[in-house]
Amino acid sequence: MIPRYSRQEMSSLWSDVARLRRWRDVELAALEGMVEHGLVPREALQDCLARAGDFTEADAARIEEIERTTKHDVIAFLTFMEERIGPSARFLHLGMTSSDVLDTSLGMVLREAAELILQGVKRAMAAVEKRAFEHKHTVMMGRSHGIHAEPITFGHKLAIWYDELRRAEQRLIRARDVIAVGKISGAVGTFAHLPPAVEVHACEKLGLTPAPASSQVVQRDRHAEYFSALALLGASIEKFAVEIRHLQRTEVREAEEHFTAGQKGSSAMPHKRNPILSENLTGLARLLRGYAVSALEDVALWHERDISHSSVERVIGPDATIVADFMLHRFAGLMENLRVYPEQMQKNLELLGGVVNSQRILLELARKGMDRQAAYVIVQRNAMRMYEEQGVTFRKALSEDQDLLKVMTSAELEDCFSTGYHTRHMDDIFQRVFGRSE
């Protein structure tokens, strides 16, 4: 992923040096398991541990140079280790296949990436929760089909977002656990040249769970679940971002991204304050969905394995985790600094002259004995007058309707326009979502 959309904390997990360190750790953990089960002399392990060392960019360049000849990255790595360690290195990779190293180390890095992403989810949830309680009673227009429906509060909207982020968190925890597996079972996964106990030892050392059964590779439905969880996270963030974009439209302007000192919105129009962060999140969510599709395509490999998944994972592994991590922190920052305009929300509430109370009037007429459909006709025709006749408000139209006045007094009608009834259950909603109402 390009640096523009990368945080160093995440992108560093995918550096060449970090990858080589994981390969070294897998090889040494497996070698230790071989020693513990009497397959390799302990002196060889001690020699390898003493000489394996760390990796630098120069080491990575040397391994890349070897690979230009071998055309095989793991063999190039093992060749380098032989150069560095000497004769004891012959015991590295004993009875193993390349996928033992590649898939086990991939499980390690995806687990670490998931931990960072979960930290980002926590930050995003905290930001949304804080703003939800801040605006628990900030009344605004609820909309369906983009059209005024009934009042809600901005805090209610954010409580829904928080609940959705919690589901994303739960999916990511499962995905982290599903992906955190390793295999040291050799070619085609039969343990023909190493006992399962070596795999158990190595995985425990590396903080992984042994795959219960593997072919030459760890099965890719695990990876598909992981990247699908990231895609769903991205879809939720896109949903939140699209809402912010709508609320920032000039004709609405109920909320707005923070506009920093010196920021410019347009090269041509100096007045512009655009929802660029939200638009960016919308675009990045498209990438995450694409990566999930690629991961699903990797599930079906030929027989015990092919390497059609390899090129895909070299791209989607770093890119998807870096993008998801970046999106979370961008969204959290957006929410922490989001500008909310309660006065404009109130202005928009009153834009149609009380028509948002139509359902309350309909229900009140039904309670008083009028047929629901007959009541619907009365309320609707007066609402249509408001839309179509200049200077006629919904309240005025209703107050002149003789059919309505036969069953409802003017005072009862006026009571239907009182405020507060739409939001009287906010405490219940917040208790359900946050476990507290204050």
Side-chain angles (χ1 to χ4, degrees), residues 136-143 148-154 156-157 346 349 354-363 394 415-430:
K136 178 182 175 184
H137 298 295
T138 302
V139 181
M140 66 179 296
M141 195 67 250
R143 298 171 173 91
H148 284 201
E150 291 197 350
I152 60 170
T153 74
F154 191 56
H156 182 194
K157 187 185 294 286
Q346 186 62 40
L349 268 171
V355 76
V356 297
N357 297 295
S358 68
Q359 182 178 190
R360 189 178 190 186
I361 297 164
L362 168 67
L363 297 177
F394 183 53
D415 187 58
C416 290
F417 288 87
S418 63
T419 60
Y421 69 94
H422 291 96
T423 60
R424 63 182 181 270
H425 295 301
M426 281 301 106
D427 281 351
D428 294 327
I429 293 171
F430 272 56

Side-chain angles (χ1 to χ4, degrees), residues 122-418:
K122 288 291 188 189
R123 180 188 170 192
M125 291 175 72
V128 171
E129 180 177 14
K130 180 180 179 182
R131 302 310 298 272
F133 277 91
E134 179 184 344
H135 293 287
K136 178 182 175 184
H137 298 295
T138 302
V139 181
M140 66 179 296
M141 195 67 250
R143 298 171 173 91
S144 57
H145 305 276
I147 307 300
H148 284 201
E150 291 197 350
I152 60 170
T153 74
F154 191 56
H156 182 194
K157 187 185 294 286
L158 297 184
I160 293 170
W161 293 8
Y162 181 93
D163 193 41
E164 189 161 342
L165 283 170
R166 181 162 48 203
R167 291 193 297 277
E169 179 184 41
Q170 291 164 352
R171 283 191 294 267
L172 286 164
I173 290 170
R174 172 179 160 79
R176 177 200 62 191
D177 296 342
V178 165
I179 205 64
V181 300
K183 66 152 302 230
I184 310 290
S185 54
V188 302
T190 60
F191 297 102
H193 306 288
L194 282 178
V198 171
E199 179 184 78
V200 171
H201 182 98
C203 286
E204 183 177 348
K205 179 86 175 179
L206 300 168
L208 302 174
T209 300
S214 60
S215 57
Q216 194 152 329
V217 294
V218 170
Q219 304 311 290
R220 258 49 196 178
D221 65 292
R222 294 178 180 272
H223 304 74
E225 180 174 346
Y226 185 95
F227 290 106
S228 294
L230 296 185
L232 277 167
L233 170 66
S236 292
I237 293 176
E238 180 184 15
K239 166 187 165 179
F240 311 150
V242 167
E243 180 68 12
I244 292 168
R245 290 166 61 190
H246 279 306
L247 295 178
Q248 188 164 335
R249 286 183 298 127
T250 304
E251 293 81 2
V252 180
R253 203 163 180 268
E254 295 178 355
E256 183 181 39
E257 293 180 7
H258 182 61
F259 199 79
T260 59
Q263 184 175 342
K264 305 292 189 292
S266 166
S267 63
M269 297 169 285
H271 71 279
K272 296 280 281 181
R273 285 159 62 134
N274 302 324
I276 57 170
L277 301 178
S278 301
E279 291 172 341
N280 172 247
L281 291 170
T282 297
L284 293 177
R286 295 169 185 167
L287 289 177
L288 284 183
R289 284 194 288 277
Y291 298 142
V293 172
S294 299
L296 288 166
E297 295 288 344
D298 279 349
V299 173
L301 303 179
W302 286 18
H303 300 298
E304 277 55 63
R305 77 135 191 180
D306 59 57
I307 63 164
S308 60
H309 63 290
S310 176
S311 56
V312 175
E313 290 171 357
R314 290 176 194 265
V315 174
I316 70 172
D319 279 12
T321 53
I322 290 171
V323 165
D325 175 73
F326 179 86
M327 288 180 70
L328 280 163
H329 287 274
R330 170 150 287 186
F331 172 69
L334 192 166
M335 289 304 302
E336 288 161 358
N337 297 292
L338 186 71
R339 294 179 174 182
V340 181
Y341 302 120
E343 298 84 1
Q344 183 65 23
M345 290 176 173
Q346 186 62 40
K347 180 180 177 181
N348 287 339
L349 268 171
E350 298 167 357
L351 195 61
L352 296 181
V355 76
V356 297
N357 297 295
S358 68
Q359 182 178 190
R360 189 178 190 186
I361 297 164
L362 168 67
L363 297 177
E364 190 60 28
L365 287 171
R367 289 189 189 101
K368 288 182 169 294
M370 184 177 286
D371 250 8
R372 181 185 174 88
Q373 291 310 309
Y376 193 103
V377 168
I378 290 174
V379 177
Q380 185 183 44
R381 74 189 179 202
N382 287 289
M384 294 307 104
R385 283 189 65 193
M386 182 275 306
Y387 282 115
E388 296 166 5
E389 297 179 29
Q390 188 73 24
V392 176
T393 67
F394 183 53
R395 181 179 288 172
K396 182 176 186 298
L398 287 167
S399 68
E400 296 172 354
D401 192 301
Q402 296 306 309
D403 291 333
L404 180 144
L405 294 175
K406 289 176 184 177
V407 296
M408 183 184 291
T409 67
S410 296
E412 290 169 336
L413 175 61
E414 192 61 30
D415 187 58
C416 290
F417 288 87
S418 63

